[in-house]
Amino acid sequence: MKHHGIKTLGLVVLVILALPAFAQDDQETDPLPEDDTILGTWWIQFGEDELLDEPFRLVFEKNGTVKVYEDGDREETAGYLLDENQSKITIYEDNDPTDIEVVIKYSFVDDLLIFLISDGDGRGEHEERFELTRNPEGTEQHQRARKDLGEGKPGVHTARKTMTQLRGLHQGAVTFSVSAKDTMPPGIGELVVGDYVTPEYILPPTSKKKVPKGFDDWEDAKKRDWANKNTGYVFLRASEKVTLDIELIAFFELPASKDQKSVYMVFDDNHAESHPYADADKLIKKQTGYTLEQWMKSKSPGTGAAPPKEEKEEKKQEAEEAKQ
């Protein structure tokens, strides 16, 4: 299946809110949080491109009931089964454990409860990742993103579109890998030629570049070359195996200059983040060995081709290699 501008929705809420309600009772209080377990109250944060405009929370009770609250009011109630050995939560409806609605894989990472939700009954090919936190305001990173992307502020549409494009590119690459022995394409150009994304999609909203006239009539090789050289996103995982690693950057936005305040990136599990320029520079240098300023000089960011090294740097490296 091919994707055009794929945008991940809040699947957790959509799935659970679709369940029929039972045993409604507005005079309730949340159970106290219980560390190292799913029990208690968790606030849902979707990620910076799908900000939590209204507060949603899930409350897992000891009696096997999960309740969904929106803006302080309980919306739905469902049952759940917890399998701690397999780190799995099974949500069911109508008090019938055999009537399964969704199966969730979970893990605890840095004080967050991470949900990996597969399509349908948990056997789907693609998993969506969601973060739940004990803090109603979300993590510090989430708060910063909310502040940066808050409604009514300049650049909101631009930031949201950048995040959406990054996640769409990654999802397109993962889809490509399904028929390529779990290997991602050799470059963003392959996604354009294969019609996984449109050529406009590989250009960030801040880009001054335009898709050339007559592009659709070009030969595939010419399309690939143009896309790989002119995209505003660096594809670090080109030709690599899909890993779903939460710490491995798959794509990142190529900054226009060192004065850019934030840099957006998507990781190999498809979650997206924004970081101040300096922090993003450290993350990317740690993974690639190159700074953002160096990546700005890349001749083919769409293939993740290493940027050319400056003459002084090359001589320094040659000298270090000679000593060894």
Side-chain angles (χ1 to χ4, degrees):
M1 181 175 65
K2 297 181 180 181
H3 298 265
H4 295 270
I6 306 168
K7 184 174 183 180
T8 302
L9 299 177
L11 185 58
V12 174
V13 171
L14 291 181
V15 168
I16 298 180
L17 289 183
L19 302 176
F22 56 83
Q24 292 282 347
D25 180 4
D26 294 330
Q27 304 301 318
E28 301 182 62
T29 57
D30 292 346
L32 294 175
E34 301 194 25
D35 294 335
D36 300 323
T37 174
I38 68 168
L39 291 175
T41 301
W42 292 94
W43 297 81
I44 304 171
Q45 60 180 34
F46 301 123
E48 290 90 37
D49 64 331
E50 291 292 338
L51 286 181
L52 197 60
D53 295 325
E54 297 180 351
F56 277 95
R57 72 186 189 277
L58 300 182
V59 180
F60 289 94
E61 300 186 336
K62 291 182 179 179
N63 62 4
T65 298
V66 57
K67 297 174 181 177
V68 182
Y69 292 79
E70 178 183 0
D71 199 22
D73 297 324
R74 183 152 62 88
E75 293 292 321
E76 302 292 344
T77 302
Y80 76 92
L81 295 173
L82 174 63
D83 185 338
E84 292 183 308
N85 291 328
Q86 296 187 37
S87 299
K88 182 175 69 175
I89 305 169
T90 302
I91 306 292
Y92 62 90
E93 56 180 310
D94 293 334
N95 282 324
D96 182 2
T98 65
D99 191 2
I100 297 174
E101 183 66 23
V102 67
V103 176
I104 302 169
K105 298 177 184 177
Y106 72 89
S107 61
F108 294 95
V109 180
D110 296 332
D111 296 324
L112 295 175
L113 175 61
I114 307 299
F115 276 178
L116 289 177
I117 301 186
S118 300
D119 298 335
D121 60 1
R123 295 194 295 265
E125 294 177 347
H126 181 68
E127 292 180 330
E128 304 290 353
R129 179 180 188 271
F130 297 91
E131 298 178 350
L132 295 85
T133 172
R134 296 290 194 191
N135 184 356
E137 299 299 322
T139 62
E140 291 184 6
Q141 179 177 301
H142 184 254
Q143 293 177 54
R144 182 174 66 247
R146 181 186 295 170
K147 182 179 179 181
D148 290 344
L149 309 184
E151 296 297 336
K153 293 187 177 182
V156 173
H157 175 72
T158 295
R160 289 183 185 273
K161 186 175 180 181
T162 300
M163 283 293 203
T164 299
Q165 287 180 334
L166 280 167
R167 297 188 72 176
L169 287 170
H170 181 259
Q171 286 183 315
V174 171
T175 302
F176 174 96
S177 73
V178 172
S179 58
K181 298 181 179 180
D182 294 325
T183 301
M184 291 192 178
I188 285 177
E190 201 66 45
L191 296 178
V192 173
V193 170
D195 202 28
Y196 292 88
V197 297
T198 64
E200 291 80 8
Y201 199 78
I202 69 171
L203 300 175
T206 56
S207 177
K208 296 180 180 180
K209 297 180 180 179
K210 302 291 183 183
V211 178
K213 292 182 179 180
F215 182 87
D216 290 341
D217 298 325
W218 287 7
E219 295 291 332
D220 285 353
K222 187 177 179 180
K223 289 181 180 179
R224 287 190 192 93
D225 186 61
W226 182 89
N228 288 328
K229 289 180 178 178
N230 289 278
T231 182
Y233 300 114
V234 178
F235 186 11
L236 293 182
R237 302 284 293 135
S239 298
E240 300 289 337
K241 292 286 186 180
V242 177
T243 64
L244 299 180
D245 191 324
I246 65 174
E247 297 182 351
L248 198 59
I249 301 169
F251 292 83
F252 70 87
E253 171 197 16
L254 202 58
S257 72
K258 293 190 296 183
D259 296 327
Q260 186 165 313
K261 292 183 178 179
S262 298
V263 176
Y264 299 91
M265 59 192 73
V266 65
F267 291 73
D268 209 35
D269 68 334
N270 199 244
H271 86 276
E273 296 180 3
S274 67
H275 289 273
Y277 183 98
D279 293 344
D281 190 50
K282 292 177 182 178
L283 284 174
I284 291 166
K285 185 176 181 180
K286 180 180 179 181
Q287 180 171 323
T288 70
Y290 296 95
T291 65
L292 282 172
E293 187 175 7
Q294 288 174 314
W295 274 109
M296 291 179 209
K297 300 174 183 177
S298 175
K299 302 295 184 182
S300 184
T303 61
K309 295 181 179 180
E310 296 179 0
E311 185 176 350
K312 290 182 180 179
E313 187 177 350
E314 289 181 344
K315 289 182 178 180
K316 181 180 179 181
Q317 183 172 333
E318 290 175 357
E320 292 177 351
E321 291 176 352
K323 291 179 181 180
Q324 296 176 355

